[in-house]
Amino acid sequence: MADNLSIQEAKRWKEEGNRLSAMQKFDDAIRCYEKAISHNPIDEETHFQKGLAFMNLIRYQEAIDCFEHAIRLNDKDPRFWLYMGVNYLFMGRYSKAIPSFNMVIEIEPDNIHALSNKGSALAELDKHAEAVVSFDRILELVPGDVNALYNKGISMHKLGEHKEAISCFKQILKQDPEDADTWFELGICLKSLDNCKEAIKCYDRVIRLEPNHAEVYEEKIECLRKLGLDDEAEKLIATREMDDGW
C-alpha cells in the first residue's frame, strides 16, 4: 500500500500527465503517468489515462495493456472495457473487441457507444443479423439516430433485405438531404432491386454533392448499360477519362 506522501506525489504526477495530455503532448504525459504509477500502482485512473495517451499515439496494444491493468484493479468501470474494445476494433481484432463491449453492456445496458461499436465489430465479421440487433437497440433508445440507421441499412443490404435498407437510408435523408454517402448506398440498394432509373437519380445527387466520389461513376455507368443506354455510358466514360484521377 502507498503511504500518504506517495499518494500525494502520485496525484501530482497524474495531474501533470493530464495537463500534458490536454496539450496533446502524449509522450511526455506517459512519462508522468509512469512516475505516478511508481508512487501509487493501484490507482486505476492513472493506468486508464496512460492507456488513452497510448491510444492517441496509435500504440493500441500498449493502450490495451494499460486498460487491462485498470480492469484488474476495478472491473466495474465501463470506460475501461469500452476503450479496450475500441482499441481491439482499431487493430482489426473484432472477435476480441466484442467481449469487451459485452462487458460494458452488462454494466450499462443502454451504453450507446458499446452497442454501436459491438454492431460495427459484428458487421466486420459478416454477422449482420446480430449487428442489426445492436443497431435496433440504439434506435429504441435514440429514435432516428443517423449512425445506427446508416449501419443498419448497410447490414440489411448485406442480408439481402434491400427494402428494409432503403427505409433506413430514406429516414436519414429526411434529416440530412445532403448526405452523399447515404444517397450512394440508397442507389446501390435500388440497383439491387433492378430499379436502375431511380438508382441513377441517387448517383446524380451524389455527383452534385461530391463530384470526386470514388465509386459513383462506375455504378452509374453500370446502370446506364443495364438500361441499354450504352451511348450515355460511353459518353460518361469518355468524360471521366479526361480526368487523370479516374
Side-chain angles (χ1 to χ4, degrees):
M1 294 291 291
D3 58 32
N4 287 336
L5 185 61
S6 293
I7 289 172
Q8 288 303 314
E9 191 69 2
K11 181 181 178 183
R12 184 176 73 82
W13 281 113
K14 180 172 71 173
E15 288 175 350
E16 179 65 8
N18 292 344
R19 186 184 71 82
L20 290 164
S21 284
M23 297 169 64
Q24 298 188 350
K25 296 181 177 181
F26 299 114
D27 285 307
D28 293 335
I30 288 166
R31 284 189 282 272
C32 291
Y33 294 135
E34 287 172 346
K35 289 180 180 178
I37 290 166
S38 72
H39 289 286
N40 183 11
I42 60 170
D43 180 11
E44 66 266 25
E45 186 67 25
T46 306
H47 291 283
F48 176 63
Q49 293 298 332
K50 182 183 174 186
L52 293 179
F54 275 125
M55 183 178 75
N56 278 291
L57 291 171
I58 319 180
R59 293 163 63 177
Y60 299 133
Q61 186 56 58
E62 289 165 283
I64 288 167
D65 294 341
C66 293
F67 299 139
E68 285 180 336
H69 204 130
I71 287 166
R72 286 196 293 272
L73 293 166
N74 176 11
D75 64 359
K76 301 302 181 187
D77 192 319
R79 296 175 303 157
F80 305 163
W81 291 106
L82 178 64
Y83 278 93
M84 186 160 72
V86 167
N87 278 265
Y88 277 129
L89 199 65
F90 288 160
M91 294 170 73
R93 300 179 66 184
Y94 308 115
S95 295
K96 293 284 287 184
I98 291 166
S100 296
F101 298 135
N102 283 339
M103 286 301 301
V104 180
I105 294 164
E106 184 176 316
I107 298 165
E108 291 184 349
D110 296 343
N111 190 298
I112 301 295
H113 300 295
L115 288 164
S116 180
N117 283 303
K118 178 184 176 181
S120 295
L122 288 164
E124 290 288 350
L125 293 170
D126 289 327
K127 296 182 177 181
H128 292 287
E130 293 176 59
V132 167
V133 174
S134 290
F135 302 138
D136 276 341
R137 178 60 184 145
I138 295 171
L139 291 167
E140 289 175 13
L141 296 167
V142 188
D145 183 270
V146 168
N147 287 331
L149 283 168
Y150 185 84
N151 289 325
K152 179 182 176 181
I154 296 293
S155 283
M156 296 306 291
H157 173 63
K158 296 287 187 182
L159 290 167
E161 300 289 345
H162 305 304
K163 290 182 179 179
E164 285 285 337
I166 287 168
S167 174
C168 292
F169 297 136
K170 285 184 174 180
Q171 288 179 66
I172 295 170
L173 292 169
K174 283 181 181 178
Q175 298 182 56
D176 182 8
E178 304 298 296
D179 188 328
D181 288 335
T182 300
W183 279 111
F184 179 73
E185 295 298 339
L186 178 57
I188 294 292
C189 289
L190 289 164
K191 187 185 79 169
S192 296
L193 293 172
D194 292 324
N195 192 346
C196 284
K197 286 185 179 180
E198 292 301 313
I200 287 171
K201 292 179 184 178
C202 294
Y203 298 145
D204 285 340
R205 289 292 292 267
V206 176
I207 291 166
R208 285 200 294 273
L209 292 165
E210 287 189 15
N212 295 320
H213 192 284
E215 302 170 79
V216 68
Y217 294 99
E218 290 183 10
E219 292 294 337
K220 181 177 178 180
I221 288 163
E222 186 177 337
C223 278
L224 288 168
R225 284 179 168 154
K226 282 189 175 183
L227 292 170
L229 301 173
D230 293 329
D231 289 344
E232 287 189 43
E234 292 303 320
K235 183 179 177 181
L236 181 55
I237 290 169
T239 301
R240 294 302 297 159
E241 284 178 346
M242 293 174 65
D243 181 353
D244 293 335
W246 194 59

